[in-house]
Amino acid sequence: MSLSVATEPSPGLTEQTTSATDTANVVPWSLVVWNDPVNLMSYVSYVFQTYFGYSETKAEALMMQVHTEGRSIVSRGAKETVERQAIAMHNFGLWATVERAGEYG
Amino acid sequence: MADPFTYGRRGISGRFEDAERELLRGLFRDVVALLEPDDAPDEDPLAALVGISPDAAEPEDPALKRLLPNVSTDDDEASREFRRFTERSLRESKAGALRAAALGLESRDMLLDEAAAAHWATALTDVRLVLAERLGIHTEEDAERIHEVTDWSDVEDDDVDAYLALVYNFVTWLQTTLVDAMMTAFRTRTSDGKDAGDGPQGED
């Protein structure tokens, strides 16, 4: 059946995918969550624990960093990954942005 | 006054007075209306089908912009591109949560499963973000000033801001008790999971 053709990626495509992953590892992206005076501290901590699976200690520390420093890098990874996380944060009502890692340390 | 949301053996329950349900339904409806895209009649139906909004631009209304924020602080083109591909589904997801929460208000006593609680949490958050923008809450000091407006008898009939502040504080209170209940439910779930999990017990 002709359908089986589609299950094997072409060698060129595999190579391209691999190199894209490598590049993402070399230049990771950061997900930044910004402070706002509206969202409850308990809610932000809840989101960090349930969405990212962070421990209560880590979630609280990140939440306090957002609160006191105005922003916190809560995740790092490939661009696609942190963009997906940014959408999730926006859906939770948190303001999140993505940036190249190292822009602000 | 009893907490509107509580966690118990059966899960998270919520209970409201008729006037509160009416108020919440109105707030949810208003935010849904804000989120509805102003569809151009000549919109590409295929783009709509796959969730792309080719003309998506940063909202002018600051409240809507807070609900649908930019994804980059310094790259406008990246923000626009991201918006084109994600804004429509974000609008729909938020509106869906608000509608689900409104539907739950049809009964006076609610029992929220995990999904329903999540809908309520985002619905209340979005209502608070919009009210906060209308009230000009931009700093912690603003938030504290609004927080001090607690007495309905202090509010003159034509004082819209004071009325909004009371509504905001009411929704904040709901959100506080809901997040507490969700946190307790989450802790209970995860500690149950540990007990039943494939831990090292029995493997000496």
Side-chain angles (χ1 to χ4, degrees), chain B residues 106-146:
Chain B
E106 295 297 320
S107 57
R108 188 172 297 174
D109 289 295
M110 296 183 296
L111 193 62
L112 306 181
D113 61 17
E114 214 180 314
H119 287 147
W120 266 91
T122 57
L124 293 177
T125 298
D126 287 345
V127 165
R128 293 182 65 243
L129 290 170
V130 171
L131 287 174
E133 202 55 56
R134 303 285 184 245
L135 284 162
I137 301 179
H138 300 298
T139 64
E140 306 290 340
E141 291 73 35
D142 295 335
E144 275 166 32
R145 175 174 48 80
I146 295 299

Side-chain angles (χ1 to χ4, degrees), chain A residues 68-83:
Chain A
T68 56
E69 295 175 27
R71 49 169 269 155
S72 174
I73 293 172
V74 300
S75 170
R76 290 172 208 271
K79 188 167 186 245
E80 293 73 21
T81 306
V82 293
E83 281 184 344

Side-chain angles (χ1 to χ4, degrees), chain B residues 146-193:
Chain B
I146 295 299
H147 191 70
E148 281 161 16
V149 185
T150 51
D151 197 342
W152 288 90
S153 58
D154 289 348
V155 178
E156 305 284 333
D157 281 349
D158 56 352
D159 191 344
V160 176
D161 274 6
Y163 174 75
L164 279 184
L166 287 171
V167 171
Y168 178 80
N169 290 334
F170 169 68
V171 180
T172 301
W173 177 55
L174 300 191
Q175 174 84 332
T176 306
T177 64
L178 177 63
V179 173
D180 285 353
M182 287 171 78
M183 201 66 238
T184 310
F186 174 69
R187 285 201 190 105
T188 308
R189 271 202 308 278
T190 47
S191 67
D192 285 354

Side-chain angles (χ1 to χ4, degrees), chain B residues 4-48:
Chain B
F5 289 104
T6 50
Y7 177 75
R9 205 163 33 85
R10 295 188 306 149
I12 297 172
S13 47
R15 188 183 163 81
F16 298 105
E17 303 298 326
D18 287 348
E20 296 170 336
R21 289 157 63 205
E22 197 48 48
L23 170 68
L24 286 169
R25 268 200 291 265
L27 292 168
F28 292 158
R29 206 165 38 227
D30 288 349
V31 180
V32 168
L34 187 64
L35 283 164
E36 267 160 6
D38 4 281
D39 279 328
D42 57 346
E43 188 184 37
D44 178 352
L46 183 60

Side-chain angles (χ1 to χ4, degrees), chain B residues 39 43-54 84-85 88-89 92:
Chain B
D39 279 328
E43 188 184 37
D44 178 352
L46 183 60
L49 194 67
V50 297
I52 297 171
S53 24
R84 276 195 282 274
F85 286 99
R88 179 184 292 266
S89 75
E92 286 169 359

Side-chain angles (χ1 to χ4, degrees), chain A residues 54-95:
Chain A
Y54 293 156
S55 68
E56 188 174 350
T57 314
K58 179 166 183 178
E60 294 278 319
L62 289 171
M63 178 276 289
M64 280 314 292
Q65 190 177 25
V66 172
H67 187 67
T68 56
E69 295 175 27
R71 49 169 269 155
S72 174
I73 293 172
V74 300
S75 170
R76 290 172 208 271
K79 188 167 186 245
E80 293 73 21
T81 306
V82 293
E83 281 184 344
R84 196 176 61 244
Q85 293 169 338
I87 299 170
M89 291 304 108
H90 294 174
N91 208 30
F92 280 115
L94 273 56
W95 181 32

